[in-house]
Structures are given as C-alpha cells and as structure tokens.
Amino acid sequence: MNNIPEIKIGIVAVSRDCFPEALSVNRRKALVEAYSAKYDAANIYESPVCIVESEIHMVQALEDVKKAGCDALVVYLGNFGPEISETLLAKHFDGPVMFIAAAEESGDNLTQGRGDAYCGMLNASYNLKLRNIKAYIPEYPVGTAEECADMIEEFLPIARTLVGLSQLKIISFGPRPLNFLACNAPIKQLYNLGVEIEENSELDLFEAFNKHANDPRIPDVVKDMEKELGEGNQKPEILPKLAQYELTLLDWVEAHKGYRKYVAIAGKCWPAFQTQFGCVPCYVNSRLTGMGIPVSCEVDIYGALSEFIGTCVSMDAVTLLDINNTVPADMYEGDIKGKHDYTHQDTFMGFHCGNTCSRKLSSCTMKYQMIMARALPEEVTQGTLEGDIAPGDITFFRLQSTADNLLRAYVAQGEVLPVATRSFGSIGVFAIPEMGRFYRHVLIEKNFPHHGAVAFGHYGKALFEVFKYLGVEEIGFNQPKGMLYKSENPFC
C-alpha cells in the first residue's frame, strides 16, 4: 500500500489551573506507556507541553506537534481541562483531532487526586460546537490509560483516512457510458470534502496508451503478471497489451497528481474501450487496486472515492462490485440453509467483470468478458480476472453525492460465504444480516447506485466515524429486527 498516508499522532495533555498540573502530566505519561506496551510506539508523539489554561501554552503545544511532524492530534483531558485553550488548539491544528479524558484512578485518592475530566469533556464538546470545530469523540471517551490507548489505536485508521482525503486527487477518464446514469453525481461535494478531481477524455487516455507502444518496460510487467496469474494465465497473448495499459495509467498518475500525494482513478471500460484498445481494463484495474491505487469501473467517481476510503481504513486492497443478483432458491436450499445462519433475503451475489485483486479471490483465471462478447468479437474482450471471491468478513459501504448535491453514505457488515458461485466474473455469495430490508429502505429508498465498495474485514466502526467526521448527516446501515426504518411499513 504505497498510496496511503503514514500517520503520527501527537498527544497533548491539558490542565485547568485550579487542578494540579502534575495530575495531567502523570496521566499523559501513563497513557503513552500503556499505548507503547500494546501498540507501535512509532505511531504516537508525546508532547512535553501541558496546556494549563493559557493561550500561550496552546501556541507552544501547537508549534511542538507541528515540529514533530504530527498529522493528527489527541487532546487528552488529564483533569477538567481549560475549555478555551484546548479547543483553540483543535481549531488551529491542521488535521484530524480527537478528544479523550482520564477516568479517576482510585477510591482512595478522590481528594487531591480527583481530576473531574468526566465533567470537563462536557465543556470541551460545548466549546467545540461554539467554534464550529470538527473533532472525533469516541462513543465513551473517558477511560483508564489502557482504555484511552485503545481509543487512540481506533482513531488511527480514521485519522489516516481523513488525512488521505485532504491530499487526494481523483483522475477520471471519459463520461459515464450511455444508459448508465446511476453513478453520475455532482462533483461539488468532492471540493467540499477537500478532494481534487481531474476529468479527462478517453481520447486523451487513448493517445497516451498509443505512445506507450513498445515501451521497454512492458516485458518486465508481463513477467510480473505471469507470476501473479500462475496456472490462471489462460490468455498469455493479451498480457503485453494489458502491461502497456498499466504503464500508461501509472505514468499518468505520476505526471498528473500535481501537488496531491494520493490518487484514485475512475476509469472508462466500455463501449468503445474494447474496440479501440483491443482489450478490457479489468485485470489492470485489479492490479492497481492491489497496489493501493483504487480504480473504479464505468467512470464511477464516488465509487473511486469510496474505495480510497476503504483502502485507508483497512490498509488493504478493496474492490468495487455491483450489488448484482439474488441467490437462486435451489442454491440457497442446497448450499446455505441449515449451514449458515442467514435467511434467503439476507443473501445476494456481488459481481463485477474482473476487477478484484487476485489476493482476494479463492483462485483466478484470465478470461474474456462474457457480457461484452455477446455484442463484440471475443478477441477484443480479453482481460478479465475471473474467480470466486475468497470467503471471510466484509464491509459493504459507499459515500455518495445525490443528484441534488447532498452527501449520503451507508455501511453494512457481513461476510462472503464459502459457497461456489457457479458463475463468471469476480463474484461472491454475500450475506448481510437483514439485507432485504436494508436493500429496500436504504439502497433503494435513498437512491444509491448499484456499485458498492467492499473492504475485506469488519471496518464498520471506523467507516461510520469517518463519515460522521466528514459531516455526512444520513448514514444508512443494516438495522436489526425490531428497529424500523422511517419508510418501513410496520404492518409488514
């Protein structure tokens, strides 16, 4: 993963001047010790500056964490804390901020050793709102040194994602294919999120591709593809063309990312791509995504954005799939019922032509794109990576701008079942609890498109917090039985 940030989190303790400063300082030291004992100490920086109700101390702490190269900040209330200077620190720090607070330590030390941070967190949250400052506050933000250390570790993927988005450029090629309006969305919200976008014609891409003909690096890329595919290398004749396309994209990224550090791509893949490029881009898309450069299909800009978010959170390859088809009743009865604790409506099949990283497939084979070959010569549809998606935990999610320019998101955790799909493409049998209701009252009711991003693992908690921090007011999830959606008929 060479396309996501490495994060250092600065820890600044704060103290109210009517409390002993040593209370906050010692609790900060205990917090750092607890984190270092359990997690990678390189992730954090302990600032020696304790803010004691002073704007001057705030400036000193700010300069200290900046000098230390901190990308994110933890404001730690070792005691009640100074509500003005601690929130000013969050205001002037250029990056994600978390507020947490120290729990009391002993019933034998509730006189001189009582810190009242439980109370101070209330005032901190009120002052953050007064100043319109975004900050992450965990579900229960007051804890022991060990508990607060866990909170910092949980903040790490959230901070990594927010920093990544602040330095992201999405590069797109071509308008959406005809009759595929579903993933079209206003780009205004990208700018609101701090994301840059560079929109290009697929003709620009085609020109760049042609300039890479006979590129001397092509044989080395082909060898790497052969190694990755192994016995699945069933179309060796198409690899040089795919290698040429991969080099085209990678060179474009380096030449066009400008002042941005991170890139995602929304690529064109039909209808003219096959006839002009002489292949389909699916396998190359899978390889770049495996490198940490997400590539969405069908110029799905918010799909690429969602994939990048998932890459930052999981530090792993993600994929983009169609929420595609139901599981046939006979397949459910024979392969799922009684073996897995899901109803038929909890299951569905997630599919795309061949864009999923080989590491996330049970096995893979290079093939042609069957759907496209129904209308085109088979030889120009080569280049898909087919295989069943490996069983295991997944998180299905998406961040989307609606047609009327509102940000919406959804997050749903589930799994890929160990069930043979008996189908084609990059595909898996998915199970999400209460999927049928979620499909109707979130995906359909809120007008989400058919593409969903998939992270391989359960990352719902971090993704939900990322979306909250970004200001997404409506975040759908697969609500459990007995918890009705607003649009759900209570008599059904």
Side-chain angles (χ1 to χ4, degrees):
M1 297 290 109
N2 55 8
N3 189 48
I4 57 176
E6 294 183 3
I7 296 294
K8 181 187 288 187
I9 298 176
I11 301 173
V12 176
V14 298
S15 176
R16 196 74 191 263
D17 61 359
C18 54
F19 286 80
E21 180 183 354
L23 195 59
S24 276
V25 170
N26 291 334
R27 287 177 172 178
R28 181 195 71 211
K29 291 179 179 178
L31 169 59
V32 171
E33 289 175 2
Y35 186 92
S36 301
K38 193 172 182 180
Y39 303 110
D40 186 354
N43 293 333
I44 61 172
Y45 166 73
E46 181 185 6
S47 174
V49 181
C50 181
I51 300 175
V52 186
E53 206 149 349
S54 164
E55 295 173 21
I56 302 303
H57 286 172
M58 180 276 293
V59 173
Q60 292 171 348
L62 182 64
E63 291 175 347
D64 181 65
V65 293
K66 284 182 177 180
K67 184 178 179 181
C70 295
D71 312 280
L73 181 65
V74 170
V75 179
Y76 180 56
L77 278 65
N79 59 43
F80 189 97
E83 57 195 63
I84 292 176
S85 51
E86 68 193 12
T87 52
L88 282 174
L89 178 64
K91 176 181 179 178
H92 293 292
F93 181 77
D94 185 19
V97 181
M98 176 171 77
F99 276 69
I100 54 176
E104 308 301 354
E105 295 159 322
S106 172
D108 297 328
N109 191 20
L110 285 176
T111 305
Q112 295 301 323
R114 196 186 78 194
D116 297 358
Y118 192 75
C119 184
M121 181 59 73
L122 297 173
N123 281 24
S125 66
Y126 185 77
N127 275 261
L128 288 168
K129 186 66 175 179
L130 280 176
R131 299 177 186 275
N132 296 315
I133 299 168
K134 288 183 178 180
Y136 167 59
I137 298 177
E139 286 297 306
Y140 187 71
V142 186
T144 64
E146 290 74 18
E147 291 167 339
C148 286
D150 292 341
M151 295 178 206
I152 293 174
E153 185 66 11
E154 289 184 347
F155 179 49
L156 194 61
I158 299 167
R160 182 168 56 241
T161 305
L162 295 169
V163 170
L165 288 173
S166 72
Q167 300 174 27
L168 173 67
K169 176 181 281 187
I170 297 176
I171 296 173
S172 72
F173 294 102
R176 292 279 297 159
L178 181 65
N179 269 340
F180 259 68
L181 297 176
C183 292
N184 268 338
I187 63 172
K188 171 74 165 102
Q189 286 292 358
L190 296 176
Y191 296 125
N192 291 346
L193 294 170
V195 175
E196 286 293 324
I197 179 166
E198 174 190 290
E199 296 181 281
N200 304 278
S201 163
E202 58 189 318
L203 186 59
D204 298 323
L205 181 62
F206 190 49
E207 179 189 38
F209 174 76
N210 287 330
K211 288 180 178 178
H212 281 76
N214 302 314
D215 189 303
R217 298 169 293 174
I218 288 175
D220 288 339
V221 176
V222 169
K223 288 179 182 177
D224 191 57
M225 289 177 168
E226 291 171 340
K227 181 179 178 182
E228 178 182 6
L229 292 167
E231 293 181 359
N233 184 16
Q234 300 299 309
K235 304 288 181 180
E237 69 279 3
I238 200 66
L239 295 189
K241 196 174 289 285
L242 293 173
Q244 180 181 339
Y245 182 64
E246 179 174 310
L247 290 167
T248 301
L249 287 182
L250 290 173
D251 285 353
W252 191 287
V253 165
E254 287 305 311
H256 288 255
K257 65 182 179 181
Y259 78 110
R260 291 285 159 143
K261 291 184 178 180
Y262 313 111
V263 171
I265 299 172
K268 191 72 173 280
C269 45
W270 63 277
F273 190 99
Q274 312 95 295
T275 58
Q276 301 308 304
F277 287 77
C279 61
V280 293
C282 310
Y283 177 47
V284 173
N285 293 356
S286 81
R287 280 174 55 86
L288 264 66
T289 300
M291 299 174 196
I293 305 173
V295 185
S296 69
C297 311
E298 298 162 331
V299 205
D300 181 2
I301 291 169
Y302 283 89
L305 176 68
S306 301
E307 286 187 278
F308 180 77
I309 290 171
T311 303
C312 288
V313 166
S314 67
M315 297 186 73
D316 196 2
V318 296
T319 193
L320 190 77
L321 298 179
D322 288 355
I323 302 167
N324 199 67
N325 59 281
T326 58
V327 175
D330 60 345
M331 192 170 165
Y332 173 78
E333 292 290 331
D335 296 340
I336 300 173
K337 187 177 180 180
K339 302 175 183 178
H340 305 282
D341 191 21
Y342 295 105
T343 69
H344 193 184
Q345 285 193 0
D346 291 339
T347 65
F348 67 100
M349 296 179 81
F351 157 87
H352 230 288
C353 312
N355 64 333
T356 301
C357 175
S358 61
R359 300 197 303 271
K360 302 304 178 184
L361 301 175
S362 295
S363 62
C364 63
T365 305
M366 176 67 73
K367 292 190 176 181
Y368 70 95
Q369 214 292 330
M370 187 181 299
I371 296 173
M372 295 177 183
R374 291 168 183 164
L376 292 168
E378 182 183 313
E379 60 267 21
V380 300
T381 66
Q382 310 288 346
T384 63
L385 187 69
E386 295 207 353
D388 282 3
I389 297 172
D393 291 340
I394 57 90
T395 306
F396 236 105
F397 64 99
R398 185 175 179 95
L399 179 62
Q400 176 75 16
S401 174
T402 62
D404 51 353
N405 202 39
L406 298 174
L407 272 183
R408 283 183 178 152
Y410 67 79
V411 185
Q413 293 186 156
E415 63 175 309
V416 177
L417 297 177
V419 174
T421 66
R422 313 179 209 172
S423 194
F424 64 96
S426 299
I427 189 168
V429 176
F430 287 74
I432 292 175
E434 298 298 318
M435 177 65 190
R437 295 169 58 236
F438 173 73
Y439 174 77
R440 174 62 185 86
H441 296 285
V442 175
L443 301 181
I444 292 177
E445 189 74 21
K446 303 302 180 183
N447 310 126
F448 282 102
H450 60 298
H451 283 177
V454 179
F456 294 93
H458 281 171
Y459 297 102
K461 184 176 182 180
L463 287 165
F464 196 91
E465 293 297 343
V466 167
F467 294 148
K468 278 171 56 180
Y469 202 107
L470 293 173
V472 181
E473 294 185 2
E474 193 171 353
I475 308 171
F477 63 97
N478 53 319
Q479 294 180 188
K481 282 183 180 178
M483 185 179 181
L484 293 179
Y485 295 95
K486 287 183 179 180
S487 58
E488 188 169 8
N489 188 330
F491 300 102
C492 288

